[in-house]
Amino acid sequence: MISRRNALRSMAVATAGLVHVNARSLAAWIPQAVDGKAASAVATDEDFWASIRLAYDVERTVVNLNNGGVAPAPRSVIESQRRGIEFTNELPARNLWQTLEPRAETVRAGLARIMGTVPDEIAIMRNASEALQTVQLGLTLRSGDEVVTTEHDYPRMITTWQQRARRDGIVLKQVPVPIPLRSDSEIVDALERAITSRTRVVHISHVVFITGQVMPVAAIAAMARRKGIDCIVDGAHSFAQIPCSLEGLGCDFFGTSLHKWLSAPIGTGMLAVRKDRIKDVWPLMAAPDTMDADIRKFEEIGTHPAAIHNAVADAIAFHEAIGLERKRARFRHLHSTWYNMVRSSSRISLATRFDDPSQQGALVLLTVDGVKPADLSAWLLDKHRIFTVAIEIANASGLRVAPNVYTSTAEMERFGAAIADVVSGKASVPSR
Ligand SMILES: Cc1ncc(COP(=O)(O)O)c(C=O)c1O
């Protein structure tokens, strides 16, 4: 049997020889590498994560802690897209429509596996915006019907409801979200209080994009269901990052990007709809009535590059090779690494209850008292080559810290040391 060290060495040799550390080789290597170890033990195994890191061709001169908006894909995914684009171009009308497009069914099946559902409840989209707007604009709503969401939901999705308010006369209600959320009932009750007899939809992010707060979506969906109200879940930051299942969440509609936590090609997304609800949503682009109850009606978008969505299959292979629980444990370890270096300072606060791992995952919002987030973010990039994003939305103010599976513990220590210098007064952050 190959030992973990030997396997690692052969991978390193393979890398030196420019053979890809791809999903297939990882899938063969990972079971030996983890050797039955618990996810929490693998989380601190730098050799293991160094191999994951090598699977990505990323900018090594910058520490990228801004993986929330859009994330890089591993080399195997980029290569798959390239192959697909070249193959398409050889004989487009045949290779695209007859060979590549039918392969999207494998992608659908893979996404369904992660989402704990059946392929007939999964539509392949171009991003979370398209997935969510399909439902937001496709549900039949009348003047005076109400939609309840929060002040922490994604601006584009809010813009979509606001456009429906202008166009169709619906009423949008946004409830404030306390920071930090002290209990699940705090938000479930706030949403419930905003519901009236005219409420038709509750729209909620599974993981809040500005704070990283994991919302009690199952409780919110259950409350909506009891009242006969639709529940749309924005899973842009939860899919492939924390457990998501249509059944487990109990929601009617779930939309996500795949170019965030799945590391899929940029320009990929997914919409999951409960089978019995597909007929209730008009697609954004028209489909024939024979497709009314078919999830594929949402994909009737005309000619598009199959190579992009087909490479989602490579991202799924990569994700499944690492495993969701190992990813989660690694994110917890990466955040603990820097947070433990600075948490004793009274100037440090987080938007989530860090000591309860169920409250956040890969995204954390850090506030340093007395320092503007935009100044801190600019200083980190100029001085330390650390890339973050400053957040000033609603009552959320701070630096969003979002590592990825290719982030090393040393990089998080570098970030922690920089923040420690700021809070101790050793370094001063210039205001802009
Ligand atoms: C919570 C949330 N929803 C929706 C989106 C839209 O995602 P996309 O731009 O991939 O469509 C984002 C993007 O960051 C997001 O954070």
Side-chain angles (χ1 to χ4, degrees), residues 42-59:
V42 177
T44 56
D45 182 343
E46 284 316 298
D47 284 353
F48 176 88
W49 294 100
S51 301
I52 303 298
R53 186 174 170 80
L54 283 173
Y56 284 80
D57 280 332
V58 289
E59 178 57 58

PDB file of all heavy atoms in Angstrom, residues 42-59:
ATOM      1  N   VAL A  42      -7.606  16.239   9.570  1.00  0.00           N
ATOM      2  CA  VAL A  42      -7.112  16.576   8.218  1.00  0.00           C
ATOM      3  C   VAL A  42      -6.991  18.102   8.077  1.00  0.00           C
ATOM      4  O   VAL A  42      -6.108  18.606   7.386  1.00  0.00           O
ATOM      5  CB  VAL A  42      -8.064  16.008   7.133  1.00  0.00           C
ATOM      6  CG1 VAL A  42      -7.601  16.408   5.736  1.00  0.00           C
ATOM      7  CG2 VAL A  42      -8.164  14.491   7.244  1.00  0.00           C
ATOM      8  N   ALA A  43      -7.853  18.823   8.794  1.00  0.00           N
ATOM      9  CA  ALA A  43      -7.894  20.294   8.665  1.00  0.00           C
ATOM     10  C   ALA A  43      -6.542  20.944   8.937  1.00  0.00           C
ATOM     11  O   ALA A  43      -6.237  22.004   8.393  1.00  0.00           O
ATOM     12  CB  ALA A  43      -8.948  20.863   9.607  1.00  0.00           C
ATOM     13  N   THR A  44      -5.722  20.317   9.767  1.00  0.00           N
ATOM     14  CA  THR A  44      -4.436  20.936  10.130  1.00  0.00           C
ATOM     15  C   THR A  44      -3.258  20.271   9.414  1.00  0.00           C
ATOM     16  O   THR A  44      -2.105  20.562   9.718  1.00  0.00           O
ATOM     17  CB  THR A  44      -4.211  20.823  11.658  1.00  0.00           C
ATOM     18  OG1 THR A  44      -4.298  19.440  12.016  1.00  0.00           O
ATOM     19  CG2 THR A  44      -5.248  21.630  12.426  1.00  0.00           C
ATOM     20  N   ASP A  45      -3.543  19.382   8.467  1.00  0.00           N
ATOM     21  CA  ASP A  45      -2.487  18.656   7.765  1.00  0.00           C
ATOM     22  C   ASP A  45      -2.025  19.488   6.558  1.00  0.00           C
ATOM     23  O   ASP A  45      -2.605  19.413   5.478  1.00  0.00           O
ATOM     24  CB  ASP A  45      -3.048  17.294   7.332  1.00  0.00           C
ATOM     25  CG  ASP A  45      -2.019  16.426   6.627  1.00  0.00           C
ATOM     26  OD1 ASP A  45      -0.976  16.964   6.182  1.00  0.00           O
ATOM     27  OD2 ASP A  45      -2.258  15.214   6.507  1.00  0.00           O
ATOM     28  N   GLU A  46      -0.976  20.263   6.755  1.00  0.00           N
ATOM     29  CA  GLU A  46      -0.538  21.181   5.688  1.00  0.00           C
ATOM     30  C   GLU A  46      -0.076  20.449   4.430  1.00  0.00           C
ATOM     31  O   GLU A  46      -0.193  20.970   3.327  1.00  0.00           O
ATOM     32  CB  GLU A  46       0.569  22.116   6.174  1.00  0.00           C
ATOM     33  CG  GLU A  46       0.106  23.254   7.076  1.00  0.00           C
ATOM     34  CD  GLU A  46      -1.167  23.986   6.629  1.00  0.00           C
ATOM     35  OE1 GLU A  46      -1.177  24.589   5.548  1.00  0.00           O
ATOM     36  OE2 GLU A  46      -2.151  23.937   7.384  1.00  0.00           O
ATOM     37  N   ASP A  47       0.467  19.228   4.593  1.00  0.00           N
ATOM     38  CA  ASP A  47       0.876  18.459   3.408  1.00  0.00           C
ATOM     39  C   ASP A  47      -0.334  18.185   2.526  1.00  0.00           C
ATOM     40  O   ASP A  47      -0.309  18.332   1.308  1.00  0.00           O
ATOM     41  CB  ASP A  47       1.490  17.107   3.805  1.00  0.00           C
ATOM     42  CG  ASP A  47       2.901  17.252   4.340  1.00  0.00           C
ATOM     43  OD1 ASP A  47       3.436  18.382   4.270  1.00  0.00           O
ATOM     44  OD2 ASP A  47       3.443  16.261   4.835  1.00  0.00           O
ATOM     45  N   PHE A  48      -1.399  17.779   3.182  1.00  0.00           N
ATOM     46  CA  PHE A  48      -2.629  17.478   2.445  1.00  0.00           C
ATOM     47  C   PHE A  48      -3.101  18.714   1.679  1.00  0.00           C
ATOM     48  O   PHE A  48      -3.362  18.674   0.470  1.00  0.00           O
ATOM     49  CB  PHE A  48      -3.712  17.013   3.430  1.00  0.00           C
ATOM     50  CG  PHE A  48      -5.047  16.766   2.779  1.00  0.00           C
ATOM     51  CD1 PHE A  48      -5.348  15.530   2.234  1.00  0.00           C
ATOM     52  CD2 PHE A  48      -6.002  17.780   2.696  1.00  0.00           C
ATOM     53  CE1 PHE A  48      -6.570  15.304   1.620  1.00  0.00           C
ATOM     54  CE2 PHE A  48      -7.227  17.565   2.086  1.00  0.00           C
ATOM     55  CZ  PHE A  48      -7.512  16.318   1.548  1.00  0.00           C
ATOM     56  N   TRP A  49      -3.185  19.846   2.377  1.00  0.00           N
ATOM     57  CA  TRP A  49      -3.751  21.045   1.742  1.00  0.00           C
ATOM     58  C   TRP A  49      -2.789  21.658   0.740  1.00  0.00           C
ATOM     59  O   TRP A  49      -3.214  22.365  -0.179  1.00  0.00           O
ATOM     60  CB  TRP A  49      -4.211  22.040   2.812  1.00  0.00           C
ATOM     61  CG  TRP A  49      -5.358  21.453   3.580  1.00  0.00           C
ATOM     62  CD1 TRP A  49      -5.309  20.848   4.806  1.00  0.00           C
ATOM     63  CD2 TRP A  49      -6.714  21.305   3.124  1.00  0.00           C
ATOM     64  NE1 TRP A  49      -6.561  20.355   5.148  1.00  0.00           N
ATOM     65  CE2 TRP A  49      -7.436  20.630   4.144  1.00  0.00           C
ATOM     66  CE3 TRP A  49      -7.404  21.683   1.964  1.00  0.00           C
ATOM     67  CZ2 TRP A  49      -8.797  20.329   4.028  1.00  0.00           C
ATOM     68  CZ3 TRP A  49      -8.752  21.396   1.855  1.00  0.00           C
ATOM     69  CH2 TRP A  49      -9.439  20.720   2.876  1.00  0.00           C
ATOM     70  N   ALA A  50      -1.493  21.352   0.898  1.00  0.00           N
ATOM     71  CA  ALA A  50      -0.529  21.848  -0.094  1.00  0.00           C
ATOM     72  C   ALA A  50      -0.822  21.214  -1.450  1.00  0.00           C
ATOM     73  O   ALA A  50      -0.663  21.847  -2.506  1.00  0.00           O
ATOM     74  CB  ALA A  50       0.890  21.518   0.346  1.00  0.00           C
ATOM     75  N   SER A  51      -1.277  19.966  -1.429  1.00  0.00           N
ATOM     76  CA  SER A  51      -1.604  19.305  -2.700  1.00  0.00           C
ATOM     77  C   SER A  51      -2.839  19.930  -3.338  1.00  0.00           C
ATOM     78  O   SER A  51      -2.915  20.074  -4.556  1.00  0.00           O
ATOM     79  CB  SER A  51      -1.856  17.819  -2.472  1.00  0.00           C
ATOM     80  OG  SER A  51      -0.712  17.254  -1.905  1.00  0.00           O
ATOM     81  N   ILE A  52      -3.789  20.305  -2.504  1.00  0.00           N
ATOM     82  CA  ILE A  52      -4.988  20.979  -3.019  1.00  0.00           C
ATOM     83  C   ILE A  52      -4.564  22.320  -3.620  1.00  0.00           C
ATOM     84  O   ILE A  52      -5.008  22.718  -4.703  1.00  0.00           O
ATOM     85  CB  ILE A  52      -6.015  21.199  -1.875  1.00  0.00           C
ATOM     86  CG1 ILE A  52      -6.386  19.877  -1.199  1.00  0.00           C
ATOM     87  CG2 ILE A  52      -7.246  21.946  -2.392  1.00  0.00           C
ATOM     88  CD1 ILE A  52      -7.046  18.855  -2.083  1.00  0.00           C
ATOM     89  N   ARG A  53      -3.675  22.996  -2.915  1.00  0.00           N
ATOM     90  CA  ARG A  53      -3.195  24.309  -3.361  1.00  0.00           C
ATOM     91  C   ARG A  53      -2.524  24.217  -4.742  1.00  0.00           C
ATOM     92  O   ARG A  53      -2.704  25.066  -5.597  1.00  0.00           O
ATOM     93  CB  ARG A  53      -2.188  24.787  -2.308  1.00  0.00           C
ATOM     94  CG  ARG A  53      -1.640  26.160  -2.453  1.00  0.00           C
ATOM     95  CD  ARG A  53      -0.796  26.439  -1.197  1.00  0.00           C
ATOM     96  NE  ARG A  53      -0.020  27.650  -1.330  1.00  0.00           N
ATOM     97  CZ  ARG A  53      -0.516  28.861  -1.149  1.00  0.00           C
ATOM     98  NH1 ARG A  53      -1.776  29.022  -0.865  1.00  0.00           N
ATOM     99  NH2 ARG A  53       0.265  29.915  -1.273  1.00  0.00           N
ATOM    100  N   LEU A  54      -1.791  23.107  -4.925  1.00  0.00           N
ATOM    101  CA  LEU A  54      -1.081  22.921  -6.201  1.00  0.00           C
ATOM    102  C   LEU A  54      -2.031  22.671  -7.364  1.00  0.00           C
ATOM    103  O   LEU A  54      -1.636  22.800  -8.528  1.00  0.00           O
ATOM    104  CB  LEU A  54      -0.099  21.746  -6.094  1.00  0.00           C
ATOM    105  CG  LEU A  54       1.195  22.037  -5.354  1.00  0.00           C
ATOM    106  CD1 LEU A  54       1.991  20.749  -5.175  1.00  0.00           C
ATOM    107  CD2 LEU A  54       2.021  23.066  -6.099  1.00  0.00           C
ATOM    108  N   ALA A  55      -3.254  22.303  -7.049  1.00  0.00           N
ATOM    109  CA  ALA A  55      -4.227  22.043  -8.123  1.00  0.00           C
ATOM    110  C   ALA A  55      -4.729  23.345  -8.742  1.00  0.00           C
ATOM    111  O   ALA A  55      -5.408  23.314  -9.763  1.00  0.00           O
ATOM    112  CB  ALA A  55      -5.387  21.228  -7.573  1.00  0.00           C
ATOM    113  N   TYR A  56      -4.425  24.463  -8.099  1.00  0.00           N
ATOM    114  CA  TYR A  56      -4.879  25.771  -8.588  1.00  0.00           C
ATOM    115  C   TYR A  56      -3.702  26.566  -9.148  1.00  0.00           C
ATOM    116  O   TYR A  56      -2.643  26.622  -8.520  1.00  0.00           O
ATOM    117  CB  TYR A  56      -5.449  26.604  -7.439  1.00  0.00           C
ATOM    118  CG  TYR A  56      -6.822  26.212  -6.958  1.00  0.00           C
ATOM    119  CD1 TYR A  56      -6.990  25.124  -6.096  1.00  0.00           C
ATOM    120  CD2 TYR A  56      -7.940  26.937  -7.325  1.00  0.00           C
ATOM    121  CE1 TYR A  56      -8.248  24.773  -5.628  1.00  0.00           C
ATOM    122  CE2 TYR A  56      -9.209  26.597  -6.856  1.00  0.00           C
ATOM    123  CZ  TYR A  56      -9.351  25.515  -6.017  1.00  0.00           C
ATOM    124  OH  TYR A  56     -10.598  25.179  -5.540  1.00  0.00           O
ATOM    125  N   ASP A  57      -3.919  27.201 -10.301  1.00  0.00           N
ATOM    126  CA  ASP A  57      -2.929  28.162 -10.807  1.00  0.00           C
ATOM    127  C   ASP A  57      -3.395  29.542 -10.398  1.00  0.00           C
ATOM    128  O   ASP A  57      -4.107  30.210 -11.143  1.00  0.00           O
ATOM    129  CB  ASP A  57      -2.871  28.103 -12.341  1.00  0.00           C
ATOM    130  CG  ASP A  57      -2.032  26.933 -12.808  1.00  0.00           C
ATOM    131  OD1 ASP A  57      -1.113  26.525 -12.068  1.00  0.00           O
ATOM    132  OD2 ASP A  57      -2.304  26.419 -13.910  1.00  0.00           O
ATOM    133  N   VAL A  58      -3.021  29.959  -9.206  1.00  0.00           N
ATOM    134  CA  VAL A  58      -3.474  31.279  -8.752  1.00  0.00           C
ATOM    135  C   VAL A  58      -2.282  32.205  -8.576  1.00  0.00           C
ATOM    136  O   VAL A  58      -1.133  31.763  -8.576  1.00  0.00           O
ATOM    137  CB  VAL A  58      -4.279  31.185  -7.432  1.00  0.00           C
ATOM    138  CG1 VAL A  58      -5.636  30.553  -7.677  1.00  0.00           C
ATOM    139  CG2 VAL A  58      -3.505  30.434  -6.365  1.00  0.00           C
ATOM    140  N   GLU A  59      -2.579  33.472  -8.422  1.00  0.00           N
ATOM    141  CA  GLU A  59      -1.540  34.486  -8.224  1.00  0.00           C
ATOM    142  C   GLU A  59      -0.894  34.258  -6.847  1.00  0.00           C
ATOM    143  O   GLU A  59      -1.519  34.456  -5.818  1.00  0.00           O
ATOM    144  CB  GLU A  59      -2.211  35.877  -8.292  1.00  0.00           C
ATOM    145  CG  GLU A  59      -1.289  37.037  -8.059  1.00  0.00           C
ATOM    146  CD  GLU A  59      -0.134  37.043  -9.029  1.00  0.00           C
ATOM    147  OE1 GLU A  59      -0.371  37.070 -10.243  1.00  0.00           O
ATOM    148  OE2 GLU A  59       1.026  37.015  -8.541  1.00  0.00           O
TER     149      GLU A  59
END
